[in-house]
Amino acid sequence: MSEQRILNPPAEALPGLPVDEGEPAFFEPWQAKAFALTVSLNEAGFFAWSEWTEAFAAVLAATDAPMAEARTAAYAEAYYRSWLDALEQLIGRHKVADAAELNFIAQTWKRAAEATRHGTPIRYEAGLP
Amino acid sequence: MSHDHDHDHGSGSHLDDMTARVMALEKVLTEKGLIDPDALDAIIDTYETRVGPRNGARVVARAWTDPAFAEWLARDGAAAIGSMGYTGRQGEHLHAVFNTEEVHNLVVCTLCSCYPWSVLGLPPVWYKSHAYRARAVSDPRGVLAEFGLHLPAGTSLRVWDSNSEMRYLVVPRRPEGTEGWDMEALAPLVTRNSMIGTELALAPTAQKASQP
């Protein structure tokens, strides 16, 4: 291997690496939705896939830490959290919505859920302050 | 939130932060007409259930049994794979790299998690891990050893770094003892990991042993 490619390898092994083929693609529904939103925006021509991977790689590079356990729901959570961070940044960069706006809507959804009886559809308006 | 017992949430439900953030994005993007919310479930379904390593296994098994197809696959992976109905959605090029006695190929994406979705589905968690992304390049033999794969000293190792434009599919070597097998019989020997390069294709005996 060429020496300039050495990327500060973590000392620990990759625990439990031999992998089952039945591992889920997503561990939580929000991860699947974040993924689908990104694919959907790309297919609609909102951004090129290269623009997406560039944004995502930048977030990963800034937040990445070697994790002791590579094959867990916790790792998937950290990965898709970075994915969502990158997606929100791109949405902001394209002037669709900024962080404050997105946060307001997210908090409204949370209040709406708290105010909605279990089993009935959550209405966004129910969470407006 | 009070530090009393948390039993007084009424009958409402609690949304976790990540779910709420995704719902916020979906709402904004839908209102601005940038996405069709009804299309999201179809995308999820595609990648959860319909696109997966079985696609890649069929490509490999066909290359093992059809020399003209193998030649086409080596020359123009995207076209050959596309002819079987597996086309990438991100406009990426797909390049097939063939294992031989002399060369073993291993695929990684050092920057994020670029992966040949159309033939392998979504990547496993370990493929996306920092440890794999770093060490597949700096210590590929060590990584392979953790998968139980010990290459002969005479076999050289090539590591392919995927990116948004170029994705790689490893065509593992056809296992011995499969002479005369057709594509349908061969495809189950082709594991996902063998097409990333962290394993070899299954030996026929291993395959038989795993059958009920």
Side-chain angles (χ1 to χ4, degrees):
Chain A
M1 280 302 98
S2 57
E3 49 283 13
Q4 80 271 16
R5 298 309 309 270
I6 302 228
L7 295 173
N8 190 25
E12 84 279 11
L14 301 177
L17 256 190
V19 176
D20 67 286
E21 303 246 339
E23 189 176 83
F26 308 105
F27 285 78
E28 297 283 345
W30 68 264
Q31 298 168 4
K33 189 63 79 74
F35 170 83
L37 285 171
T38 309
V39 171
S40 201
L41 285 169
N42 166 248
E43 289 181 355
F46 184 71
F47 47 65
W49 197 252
S50 54
E51 183 181 354
W52 160 252
T53 54
E54 210 170 290
F56 182 40
V59 172
L60 272 185
T63 59
D64 228 1
M67 293 191 52
E69 175 59 78
R71 282 183 57 238
T72 61
Y75 185 82
E77 160 126 10
Y79 175 85
Y80 279 106
R81 191 182 286 267
S82 294
W83 183 294
L84 189 55
D85 287 345
L87 183 57
E88 287 175 348
Q89 284 177 18
L90 269 190
I91 297 299
R93 207 178 299 160
H94 283 264
K95 309 272 184 242
V96 177
D98 61 21
E101 207 175 335
L102 290 174
N103 186 51
F104 174 82
I105 300 172
Q107 295 309 320
T108 304
W109 273 126
K110 291 185 75 159
R111 282 190 302 268
E114 302 283 359
T116 303
R117 181 172 291 280
H118 219 50
T120 42
I122 300 171
R123 279 177 49 254
Y124 179 76
E125 290 69 25
L128 285 171
Chain B
M1 182 164 298
S2 76
H3 34 258
D4 286 328
H5 293 291
D6 249 0
H7 294 165
D8 54 355
H9 266 300
S11 51
S13 38
H14 176 72
L15 280 188
D16 67 89
D17 287 339
M18 303 310 289
T19 300
R21 282 171 64 186
V22 170
M23 285 172 74
L25 273 178
E26 184 177 359
K27 179 172 166 60
V28 163
L29 294 169
T30 302
E31 283 174 358
K32 306 232 173 183
L34 293 167
I35 57 149
D36 169 9
D38 293 335
L40 299 177
D41 286 342
I43 292 173
I44 294 168
D45 180 55
T46 296
Y47 285 102
E48 271 191 330
T49 59
R50 286 190 289 135
V51 176
R54 290 305 98 210
N55 293 5
R58 290 181 58 77
V59 171
V60 169
R62 183 162 170 204
W64 284 346
T65 52
D66 178 348
F69 180 78
E71 192 274 330
W72 188 17
L73 184 63
R75 183 163 37 84
D76 187 347
I81 291 167
S83 78
M84 294 178 72
Y86 312 137
T87 44
R89 294 163 74 121
Q90 282 77 42
E92 70 276 13
H93 289 287
L94 202 48
H95 185 55
V97 291
F98 291 69
N99 287 348
T100 66
E101 210 171 317
E102 292 79 32
V103 180
H104 182 88
N105 296 284
L106 178 67
V107 177
V108 65
C109 173
T110 56
L111 280 181
C112 47
S113 51
C114 297
Y115 191 73
W117 294 355
S118 58
V119 279
L120 295 187
L122 293 177
V125 171
W126 58 263
Y127 183 87
K128 301 181 281 201
S129 71
H130 180 275
Y132 179 75
R133 286 159 39 219
R135 290 188 47 227
V137 172
S138 64
D139 178 25
R141 280 180 195 267
V143 168
L144 291 186
E146 283 162 37
F147 280 89
L149 176 54
H150 301 274
L151 293 179
T155 303
S156 63
L157 183 54
R158 287 196 71 175
V159 180
W160 300 83
D161 191 359
S162 316
N163 57 45
S164 59
E165 274 95 36
M166 190 60 88
R167 321 278 177 97
Y168 301 94
L169 175 73
V170 174
V171 180
R173 296 175 68 200
R174 180 171 174 163
E176 293 183 11
T178 59
E179 293 74 18
W181 290 32
D182 66 9
M183 183 174 151
E184 298 304 324
L186 287 166
L189 302 179
V190 187
T191 63
R192 176 192 66 201
N193 289 2
S194 74
M195 294 180 279
I196 302 174
T198 53
E199 287 174 8
L200 305 180
L202 297 175
T205 45
Q207 162 68 12
K208 285 208 188 85
S210 73
Q211 298 283 322

